[in-house]
Amino acid sequence: MSGPERMNSLERINGPVVLAPMEGLADAPMRDVLTRIGGIDWCVSEFIRVTEGLLNVATIRRSVPESEHGWCTRAGVPVRPQLLGSDVRWMGENAALLASMDAPAIDLNFGCPAKTVNRHRGGAALLTEPELLREIVASVRAATPLHIPVTAKMRLGLTDTSQTLECAQALADGGASEITVHARTKVEGYKPPAHWEWLARIRDAVDVPVIANGEVWSTEDYRRIREVSGCDAVMIGRGLVRCPDLGLRILQDADAAVLGWDELWPWLGDFFRQTRLRVVDRHAPGRLKQWLAMLGQHYPEARALFDSLRRETCADAVTRRLEGPLQSAA
């Protein structure tokens, strides 16, 4: 039974699961594969950088090819485009452009910890400027029809939590209808632990829904983050990439694996075929190796396949390997 069919045959007993926007990782092929496996309610795209001027529509289509198909993956899962920038006017103008393209929602990135992004006054760097956060959201909200939600993603702060609640309130005051919070500061990056207790404090401080994010690797983590935070919806990033059936496990409230290596094997080939259509061949093997290295946390066979392909740079050779019999991964 395929992912979407599996989802349709199950009664949801947990809150929404959202695939996180992860630059260079949760791209269109990954979104397509993970949503077809199942258990994901919506996705947020990799960020689209806004500077001074209108984005090129071709750039938007390239970043979010689902925009040409009703802003949904092949599984019918919505994809919300995400904008990143600090220019109040042009964030609004580009939100209006996305709205004219019938985007289902517009998300704003105030959480990216990348040094290059922060150096250019983007992502988490703005968490020291709550008033600017409010102005950006207000500009986007004013430029966007009311039926299109404007949402935002933030971290707990740049270096500490001294302005956490002020930033969350600024986003809500600006008109964000929903705030996703990665429960770590920028300087903490992705180091455990995530401070889930802060999610509950933010929920108490704002009058809009808060989506919990950070350090969810298992069904048990999902249960605990909801219990500690009080949040209904949970955004998951690397946990879904490492464990592609995590959404299905959550959907079924099950701890045991749903997707065995034999079932995952065809998805690897599907992912690589799509990747080759989007990047030059010399870069395609690297994308597969990146995923295999992460899958190795749950699948010993993935580690073995990664080791066998570690020095392979020929995309055709990788394709032949993935089109071969399952036992070739051992």
Side-chain angles (χ1 to χ4, degrees), residues 82-134:
Q82 185 185 75
L83 296 178
L84 178 148
S86 58
D87 188 293
V88 174
R89 174 193 171 188
W90 289 110
M91 287 289 281
E93 295 279 1
N94 281 289
L97 173 61
L98 290 173
S100 74
M101 297 170 66
D102 297 322
I106 295 169
D107 192 67
L108 305 176
N109 183 319
F110 303 117
C112 179
K115 291 180 181 179
T116 302
V117 168
N118 296 165
R119 196 161 51 242
H120 290 87
R121 208 181 179 202
L126 298 180
L127 295 173
T128 60
E129 303 181 70
E131 180 55 27
L132 179 57
L133 297 183
R134 188 198 65 76

Side-chain angles (χ1 to χ4, degrees), residues 148-161:
I148 298 178
V150 172
T151 63
K153 187 171 189 285
M154 62 175 281
R155 282 180 174 250
L156 297 181
L158 186 64
T159 60
D160 57 46
T161 56

Side-chain angles (χ1 to χ4, degrees), residues 28-281:
M30 184 66 75
R31 292 193 297 265
D32 177 73
V33 167
L34 292 181
T35 57
R36 286 162 64 208
I37 287 172
I40 296 170
D41 292 87
W42 72 85
C43 309
V44 180
S45 78
E46 299 170 281
F47 67 75
I48 307 170
R49 190 188 297 270
V50 172
T51 52
E52 294 183 356
L54 274 180
L55 289 163
N56 187 301
V57 172
T59 299
I60 297 171
R61 299 289 195 203
R62 173 71 180 171
S63 180
V64 195
E66 297 94 339
S67 61
E68 298 188 79
H69 307 284
W71 296 89
C72 288
T73 68
R74 279 190 285 176
V77 176
V79 179
R80 300 178 177 182
Q82 185 185 75
L83 296 178
L84 178 148
S86 58
D87 188 293
V88 174
R89 174 193 171 188
W90 289 110
M91 287 289 281
E93 295 279 1
N94 281 289
L97 173 61
L98 290 173
S100 74
M101 297 170 66
D102 297 322
I106 295 169
D107 192 67
L108 305 176
N109 183 319
F110 303 117
C112 179
K115 291 180 181 179
T116 302
V117 168
N118 296 165
R119 196 161 51 242
H120 290 87
R121 208 181 179 202
L126 298 180
L127 295 173
T128 60
E129 303 181 70
E131 180 55 27
L132 179 57
L133 297 183
R134 188 198 65 76
E135 291 176 3
I136 292 171
V137 177
S139 173
V140 171
R141 180 68 282 173
T144 307
L146 290 178
H147 71 276
I148 298 178
V150 172
T151 63
K153 187 171 189 285
M154 62 175 281
R155 282 180 174 250
L156 297 181
L158 186 64
T159 60
D160 57 46
T161 56
S162 60
Q163 293 180 288
T164 302
L165 298 183
E166 189 179 358
C167 286
Q169 289 165 342
L171 297 177
D173 291 346
S177 59
E178 185 179 84
I179 302 170
T180 298
V181 182
H182 184 139
R184 284 181 274 231
T185 64
K186 182 269 181 188
V187 296
E188 289 174 322
Y190 298 96
K191 298 176 184 177
H195 309 290
W196 295 343
E197 68 280 359
W198 266 100
L199 300 169
R201 295 183 64 180
I202 294 169
R203 284 184 65 248
D204 290 339
V206 299
D207 293 325
V208 298
V210 173
I211 297 178
N213 176 230
E215 210 64 19
V216 177
W217 303 101
S218 66
T219 310
E220 177 58 27
D221 290 338
Y222 171 84
R223 297 186 191 110
R224 287 180 50 243
I225 195 173
R226 290 191 67 200
E227 179 183 358
V228 172
S229 69
C231 297
D232 182 48
V234 177
M235 177 178 281
I236 306 175
R238 293 169 298 153
L240 278 165
V241 178
R242 283 189 185 182
C243 183
D245 66 354
L246 180 56
L248 288 177
R249 295 190 197 190
I250 291 169
L251 185 64
Q252 300 177 57
D253 199 30
D255 295 313
V258 175
L259 197 70
W261 178 251
D262 58 334
E263 293 179 282
L264 182 59
W265 179 253
W267 293 113
L268 296 175
D270 192 339
F271 170 77
F272 193 64
R273 283 190 294 273
Q274 292 190 58
T275 297
R276 291 190 69 177
L277 294 174
R278 288 179 57 83
V279 304
V280 296
D281 271 357

